[in-house]
Amino acid sequence: MNNQPSNDDLNVFRQVALRSSFAAAATDLGVSVAYVSKRIRTLEQVLNTQLLHRTTRRVSLTEPGEKVLRWAERILDDLEQLQEAVAQTRQRPSGTLRVSSSFGFGRCHVAPALASLAEAYPELSVRFEVFDRLVDVPGEGIDLDIRVGDDIAPHLIARKLADNHRILCAAPEYLAQQGEPRQLSELNRHECLVIKERDHPFGLWRLVSAKGEQQIRVQGRLSSNHGEVALQWALQGKGILLRSRWDVAPMIRSGQLRQVLCEFSQPASIWAVYPQRLAQSARVRAAVEHLQQWFIRHPPG
């Protein structure tokens, strides 16, 4: 047996550590659980130490495992930077790029942009995942998170892909029945379609106008963690919605929805967010530049 740990085994180990699961790591890597178990067993034999505590529900690192993980990340990052340096000389980004986004925006807008990215760079593989929560970009091994909203942690790098803001709107039939709000405080007596989406506080709408920022606590009988569900309810006349201008612009043009309290909006630009370790990544740079151009050519709505 080779007495040196292989890069492949270190990569499998890193993925298991990130996901705290053999099965989840196998899914991420596109291999079988048996393969993952074999690679971990081989790595433990080579290093002559136990790297993981295994239970029926969870996998956690031993103390030596934590040390090995730090070395594995260093070694694999160095190898990745080497590959990136070679890729830059060829101007052909390659390898796997793991991208995440939210459900609705990811499906409608990010997915087609990534398909175009893969077509432009045949040696680049894209793995795309959507979540209903804010992801821990470095902690979950995400290379690029495409998110809506301007609150971004300072330890991450963010590049703006497009300007955007959210607006208030409702179906004409709802406004005919319930009346149109003329002041922000009047939202308290309306049915508001509340969305729990990633890092947005549930039921708290922060809005800006010429007078500055204001916030209001809203409520309604219908709420969801999926923006597209709330949009369908708004189209059915069930309440007032705070939603991205890009998402509702076609419905407003067609008359299915009407903007209310037009002086208020919520800044929510589109950002590409990635960890500091990928600051010089050719894959990430190519993806960000491609996405910026995509949104210029294909503005949603």
Side-chain angles (χ1 to χ4, degrees), residues 102 132-134 147-151 166 194-206 242-243 266-268:
S102 57
D132 63 350
R133 59 178 174 80
L134 187 66
R147 64 178 64 172
V148 180
D150 295 351
D151 294 329
R166 298 187 181 98
V194 182
I195 303 168
K196 175 55 181 172
E197 191 174 36
R198 298 191 117 195
D199 58 333
H200 307 150
F202 186 78
L204 183 66
W205 287 355
R206 294 190 177 97
L242 177 64
R243 195 64 181 156
Q266 184 182 82

Side-chain angles (χ1 to χ4, degrees), residues 36 45 70 95 117 119 153 155 194 217 279 281 300:
V36 170
Q45 290 172 351
R70 288 195 291 271
L117 173 68
E119 184 177 356
H155 68 280
V194 182
R217 179 74 62 178
S281 168

Side-chain angles (χ1 to χ4, degrees), residues 187-234:
L187 290 177
N188 287 322
R189 65 174 181 82
H190 279 272
E191 287 288 330
C192 292
L193 302 170
V194 182
I195 303 168
K196 175 55 181 172
E197 191 174 36
R198 298 191 117 195
D199 58 333
H200 307 150
F202 186 78
L204 183 66
W205 287 355
R206 294 190 177 97
L207 301 161
V208 297
S209 68
K211 298 179 180 179
E213 181 177 293
Q214 299 180 56
Q215 63 182 38
I216 184 169
R217 179 74 62 178
V218 298
Q219 60 185 358
R221 290 175 297 156
L222 293 173
S223 62
S224 175
N225 70 333
H226 202 305
E228 291 187 29
V229 172
L231 177 57
Q232 289 304 311
W233 284 336

